[in-house]
Amino acid sequence: MLTVALPKGELLKNSIRLLQSVGLDFSAFLDSGTRQLQIPDTKGVAKALLVRAHDVPVYVEYGQAQLGVVGYDVLREKQPQVAHLVDLQFGHCRMSVAVKASSSYRSPIDLPAHGRVASKYVNCALEYFHSLDLPVEIVPLYGSVELGPITGMSEAIVDLVSTGRTLRENGLIEIATLYESTARLIAHPLSYRMNTGNLSDVIAKLREAVLVEV
C-alpha cells in the first residue's frame, strides 16, 4: 500500500486538495474532531501519515512513506536523502534576514562581526553568512525567534516569512532574502527507482494536476 507523509500546519489543506484531484482522499485529517495520525484513503489503496513538517523527509528517507509533501525550507535545512520530484506551486514564502526597524542595519553586511543571529534554520543561516564571509554566532531558537532582536539577545534573525505581518507587528523589517520556498513532492529513492506500488503513475498524475493549476 502506498504511504504518503503529510505535514501538519499551513501546507496540509492544499496537500490534501492536490491528492484528492488524483483520486487519493485523506480529507478526514481536516475534521477538527479527529485525533488520528494515520488514515487510509476512501478507496483503501493508500494511507497517509500526519506528521510535523520537519519530520516528513525523515519518514520518507527511512522508507516508512514512499511519498511526502514538505516545504523547500525544510529540505534546504535538513538535506535529507530523498528524491526531489515536483514543485507543487503552493505554500509560497521566503527565508529572510530581519532586524529591528529602529536599528541601523539595512543590509546583512552591516551586522557586526561575531554578532548573534537567532534562527531555527541553523544550517541555512550558517551557510548564508559563511557565503558573505561574515562570522556570526547562530543562536538556535525554536519558538518565537522575533524575540531575539526585541530582547537584545540577537542583532538579527533568519526565519521563514509569508506575509511579513508578524515581523511588522513586532517592529522588525526584512533586509535580505536567502531564497524562495514552496511545497515540494518528495519520494523515497529506492521506492521511486523500483516503482513500488505503481508510484510512477501517482507521480505523473500529480505533475499533471500541478501543471493544470499553474
Side-chain angles (χ1 to χ4, degrees):
M1 179 180 285
L2 175 66
T3 303
V4 184
L6 296 178
K8 296 179 180 179
E10 295 293 325
L11 300 181
L12 180 60
K13 187 177 291 186
N14 280 329
S15 300
I16 287 174
R17 180 184 53 78
L18 177 64
L19 288 164
Q20 280 180 314
S21 74
V22 300
L24 298 175
D25 188 355
F26 303 114
S27 56
F29 278 143
L30 300 178
D31 181 352
S32 59
T34 188
R35 293 294 180 268
Q36 290 180 280
L37 299 175
Q38 175 177 290
I39 60 171
D41 84 302
T42 53
K43 296 176 182 176
V45 298
K47 64 181 177 181
L49 312 176
L50 185 63
V51 301
R52 288 181 67 250
H54 279 71
D55 291 339
V56 168
V58 180
Y59 280 92
V60 175
E61 181 174 1
Y62 282 84
Q64 271 59 56
Q66 289 76 52
L67 286 178
V69 177
V70 66
Y72 179 64
D73 58 296
V74 176
L75 297 177
R76 278 286 293 261
E77 176 67 15
K78 297 286 189 179
Q79 296 290 314
Q81 298 300 306
V82 297
H84 298 218
L85 301 179
V86 186
D87 181 344
L88 299 176
Q89 300 292 324
F90 61 81
H92 292 272
C93 50
R94 58 195 177 274
M95 189 66 67
S96 294
V97 182
V99 298
K100 286 178 69 174
S102 59
S103 75
S104 61
Y105 311 127
R106 290 299 177 266
S107 168
I109 59 175
D110 293 336
L111 294 169
H114 305 292
R116 291 187 294 247
V117 177
S119 185
K120 65 174 67 75
Y121 296 92
V122 173
N123 293 326
C124 286
L126 281 172
E127 179 185 346
Y128 176 71
F129 283 100
H130 180 73
S131 73
L132 298 179
D133 199 25
L134 178 63
V136 297
E137 176 187 351
I138 305 298
V139 180
L141 285 181
Y142 298 96
S144 301
V145 294
E146 296 85 4
L147 281 171
I150 292 171
T151 62
M153 183 174 67
S154 68
E155 281 76 32
I157 64 172
V158 169
D159 201 20
L160 206 58
V161 178
S162 180
T163 64
R165 179 179 175 182
T166 302
L167 294 179
R168 291 191 296 273
E169 290 184 351
N170 286 283
L172 304 181
I173 58 170
E174 295 173 73
I175 59 172
T177 299
L178 280 66
Y179 56 82
E180 303 288 332
S181 179
T182 51
R184 306 298 170 92
L185 182 70
I186 60 174
H188 180 254
L190 184 59
S191 297
Y192 181 50
R193 289 197 298 271
M194 299 293 290
N195 195 26
T196 303
N198 211 17
L199 197 56
S200 62
D201 278 0
V202 176
I203 294 168
K205 289 177 182 177
L206 288 168
R207 286 186 193 277
E208 185 176 345
V210 171
L211 287 173
V212 167
E213 295 205 2
V214 173

